Amino acid sequence: MSIHIGAKKGEIADRILLPGDPLRAKFVAENFFENAVCYNEVRGMLGFTGTYKGVKVSVQGTGMGLPSHSIYVTELFKDYDVQKAIRIGTAGSLRKDIPLRALVLAMAASTDSGMNTHRFEGRHYAPSANWNLLKHAYEAAQKIGAETFVGGVASSDVFYDEKETWKLWAEYGVLAVEMETAELYTLAAKYNREALSILTISDSVVTGEATSAEERQLTFKQMMETALEAIIA
């Protein structure tokens, strides 16, 4: 057991999906896993292990934002020896041509968070995805016909952006904004693990369009299937 995860050693697979919403973790376990077992309920942050196409895979909720995500990913890498981690989350599109429900594969992650500023003592680190996971995810997404974009995202500490700083990110080619990927990629680099973020566009910062809370929690199956195919490849 770790501080925030109640699993025993061996109960978590070396391959894991990381939704922010614990109910999305439950949805993945119930709809994609065989023989799913819940290994964690601490703080309501659900985690499950099962098999997908005969391969042992886990799914763990991480909460919202870089600090919460950092706690779970650190413990998964450090205490449970997880080797491959794919975030399955939502993002806001920063371009008119990236529609609702499209997939974004995050090749790299910029951030306005102070976490890496603190970690690198003012230096600017460039967190990036694992190439093999990115390649397998792109191939899987193409196979199922998902509309897919590959490029940089921005991981922000601010959800309600009153200053509209998204416009600056967009000017420099960032595809979408979310709240966790930069920390996942940084920790993967630190612990020499493989990581990727696969994001479903849940809203458009440009047009104001948005999906419902229920849809974000219970659907977005293309993202889930793409992640599972990539993580067992």
Side-chain angles (χ1 to χ4, degrees):
M1 296 176 65
S2 65
I3 296 174
H4 300 90
I5 301 173
K8 299 175 183 178
K9 289 289 181 68
E11 291 184 335
I12 298 178
D14 65 355
R15 307 159 194 247
I16 197 164
L17 303 190
L18 301 171
D21 186 347
L23 292 181
R24 188 179 298 139
K26 185 173 184 285
F27 183 87
V28 169
E30 291 177 344
N31 290 273
F32 290 93
F33 285 0
E34 293 184 358
N35 304 313
V37 175
C38 180
Y39 63 75
N40 188 64
E41 295 180 312
V42 178
R43 294 175 178 257
M45 202 57 67
L46 301 175
F48 301 84
T49 296
T51 58
Y52 177 76
K53 295 186 175 180
V55 179
K56 187 177 178 181
V57 182
S58 296
V59 59
Q60 173 65 56
T62 66
M64 289 190 291
L66 281 80
S68 180
H69 192 80
S70 183
I71 289 170
Y72 290 95
V73 172
T74 296
E75 293 180 15
L76 289 166
F77 286 167
K78 185 178 177 182
D79 299 324
Y80 294 97
D81 203 30
V82 167
Q83 298 296 313
K84 296 183 179 183
I86 298 182
R87 164 165 154 67
I88 49 170
T90 57
S93 172
L94 300 184
R95 286 181 12 186
K96 286 184 179 180
D97 64 327
I98 303 181
L100 296 185
R101 302 174 189 84
L103 299 187
V104 170
L105 309 185
M107 187 163 55
S110 304
T111 185
D112 60 18
S113 174
M115 293 190 72
N116 272 353
T117 302
H118 174 76
R119 181 182 278 126
F120 293 99
E121 299 179 343
R123 298 172 182 85
H124 297 284
Y125 180 69
S128 58
N130 173 266
W131 164 247
N132 285 327
L133 286 180
L134 179 62
K135 176 177 178 290
H136 291 313
Y138 184 78
E139 291 171 348
Q142 293 301 295
K143 188 174 181 179
I144 64 173
E147 187 169 8
T148 308
F149 298 81
V150 181
V153 301
S155 300
S156 181
D157 277 344
V158 180
F159 186 84
Y160 296 107
D161 182 9
E162 296 177 356
K163 294 185 178 180
E164 295 189 327
T165 54
W166 66 267
K167 292 180 179 179
L168 184 59
W169 292 126
E171 183 180 346
Y172 282 82
V174 174
L175 304 184
V177 61
E178 50 87 73
M179 301 184 75
E180 289 87 18
T181 299
E183 183 65 6
L184 172 61
Y185 289 0
T186 300
L187 290 171
K190 177 181 179 180
Y191 289 99
N192 193 27
R193 309 300 163 87
E194 298 179 23
L196 176 67
S197 272
I198 302 176
L199 307 165
T200 299
I201 296 300
S202 59
D203 61 281
S204 173
V205 183
V206 182
T207 67
E209 298 174 284
T211 57
S212 69
E214 183 178 12
E215 185 175 4
R216 290 192 295 272
Q217 180 179 298
L218 299 178
T219 60
F220 298 163
K221 290 184 178 180
Q222 285 187 324
M223 169 178 65
M224 298 168 188
E225 183 176 350
T226 297
L228 286 164
E229 291 293 328
I231 210 162
I232 68 169

